[in-house]
Amino acid sequence: MTSTSEKTVPGPAGTAGDGPKAGRGRPVRHRDHTVPPWLFVVPALVVYAVVVLYPSLAGVMYAFTDWSGIGGFSFTGTENFRTLLDDGRALESVGNTLLLTVAVVVVQNGIGLLLALGVHTNIRSRAVLRLIFFAPAVVSPVMVAILWKYVYNPENGAGLNGLLGAVGLGGLRQDWLGDPSLALWSVAAMVVWQYAGYSMVVFLAGLQGVPAELHEAARIDGAGSWQRFRYVTWPLLAPALTINLMLSTIGGLKLFDQVYAATNGGPGTSSETLSTVLYKEAFVYGKFGYSTAVALVLALFVAAVSLVQLRYLRAREVTA
């Protein structure tokens, strides 16, 4: 890490006894204490390897074993993956995960865009509205689930059912989390409520990047509000749309906290997702080998969907 360089320094001339070597320079060593920049990265790389890389690689290995979480294990090849393909509960959770993801992505981003367009105007309360709409995104998902369990209280005079009765819509009262046909959609509404404000902020950043001159030129040319949005604003929102769709898709595919806290995958398996399945297989049934196989399939599935989506959306950005 240190390098040595030599520099000739002339000696004092005319010194008595110097003889024929008087004035000849003498070598002086200077040490260069410069540290290679990559050494500063080593501590972070070590932590990353211990906390992320090693557990990830170990998980891939355990997916091919019968490990129970404690003690030894033996390799079983692809037995866990064959079990997954024959597991009706796991296959049902795949369908639930896809339905939940589609609902969250479409509704969350649609509401987020409408909110962004609303608070992007010159209304005096826009700053307060932005804060109100974004606030749920910073709350713990578990706390949101607990809050919404009160909202979804099945009693006629409580929560959402009480509100429906108060406005004369008592016929619409439901057991929102106890009905197998409604539980999954109730969770989706909960997730949309929490993260629509986050999508709003991303869209709002995109709206603020649209040059006002373009809207003014379109207005002079006779374009109405819808035409200006369709041909000016919407194409320039492509990067913001890419970010929002990617984040909401990944979040929907690996959704766990809200589902587990609100319904625990029930009633029955009506709101079970891949994340809740792998959690239960590991920490309830002690099948860590099988659960890591489920986790590996989920990770590969999320990566594949994200890459395809990213490629399409990036191509749309170039077109726009």
Side-chain angles (χ1 to χ4, degrees):
M1 298 208 320
T2 61
S3 60
T4 304
S5 60
E6 293 188 357
K7 180 178 181 181
T8 301
V9 179
T15 305
D18 285 343
K21 295 183 179 180
R24 181 179 296 178
R26 62 180 181 273
V28 178
R29 295 179 180 272
H30 292 276
R31 294 186 178 275
D32 185 2
H33 296 281
T34 303
V35 179
W38 58 267
L39 283 179
F40 293 99
V41 185
V42 171
L45 289 178
V46 171
V47 173
Y48 182 78
V50 173
V51 176
V52 178
L53 291 182
Y54 174 73
S56 299
L57 295 176
V60 173
M61 180 191 69
Y62 288 135
F64 298 91
T65 69
D66 60 355
W67 188 44
S68 63
I70 301 176
F73 58 86
S74 59
F75 285 93
T76 59
T78 59
E79 180 64 27
N80 288 328
F81 298 95
R82 291 197 296 267
T83 302
L84 176 60
L85 293 177
D86 295 332
D87 189 347
R89 175 165 153 265
L91 295 179
E92 182 183 1
S93 72
V94 174
N96 291 340
T97 302
L98 293 176
L99 288 174
L100 187 60
T101 301
V102 172
V104 168
V105 169
V106 174
V107 181
Q108 174 182 317
N109 288 289
I111 294 177
L113 179 59
L114 293 176
L115 293 176
L117 292 172
V119 300
H120 187 57
T121 58
N122 292 324
I123 56 176
R124 297 178 60 182
S125 59
R126 62 183 181 275
V128 176
L129 291 175
R130 292 174 186 179
L131 176 62
I132 293 174
F133 294 144
F134 180 72
V138 301
V139 180
S140 166
V142 175
M143 291 302 299
V144 170
I146 294 174
L147 170 65
W148 277 79
K149 287 184 73 173
Y150 285 100
V151 174
Y152 288 139
N153 193 315
E155 298 296 328
N156 288 336
L160 181 58
N161 284 340
L163 178 62
L164 291 174
V167 297
L169 298 175
L172 298 179
R173 293 169 178 163
Q174 302 288 339
D175 186 359
W176 302 99
L177 297 177
D179 188 339
S181 63
L182 293 176
L184 189 68
W185 308 116
S186 298
V187 173
M190 179 194 315
V191 177
V192 169
W193 176 84
Q194 181 174 12
Y195 292 113
Y198 188 92
S199 298
M200 175 201 71
V201 171
V202 177
F203 279 127
L204 190 59
L207 289 172
Q208 292 175 343
V210 178
E213 295 80 4
L214 295 180
H215 282 286
E216 185 63 27
R219 187 180 295 107
I220 293 174
D221 290 339
S225 299
W226 168 250
Q227 291 175 318
R228 293 197 302 273
F229 173 78
R230 172 66 180 84
Y231 296 105
V232 177
T233 304
W234 181 245
L236 295 177
L237 280 179
L241 181 65
T242 299
I243 295 173
N244 270 332
L245 290 181
M246 290 293 298
L247 291 177
S248 56
T249 299
I250 294 173
L253 290 174
K254 63 184 186 67
L255 195 65
F256 170 77
D257 304 64
Q258 294 91 333
V259 177
Y260 191 80
T263 67
N264 196 22
T269 58
S270 60
S271 63
E272 202 85 84
T273 64
L274 271 175
S275 295
T276 60
V277 167
L278 72 88
Y279 174 84
K280 291 179 180 179
E281 291 294 338
F283 298 102
V284 177
Y285 306 116
K287 299 179 181 179
F288 278 82
Y290 179 61
S291 68
T292 53
V294 176
L296 181 59
V297 171
L298 175 60
L300 294 175
F301 182 63
V302 171
V305 171
S306 300
L307 288 174
V308 172
Q309 188 181 48
L310 180 61
R311 185 172 182 178
Y312 170 76
L313 292 172
R314 283 293 175 85
R316 180 184 178 275
E317 287 182 29
V318 174
T319 304

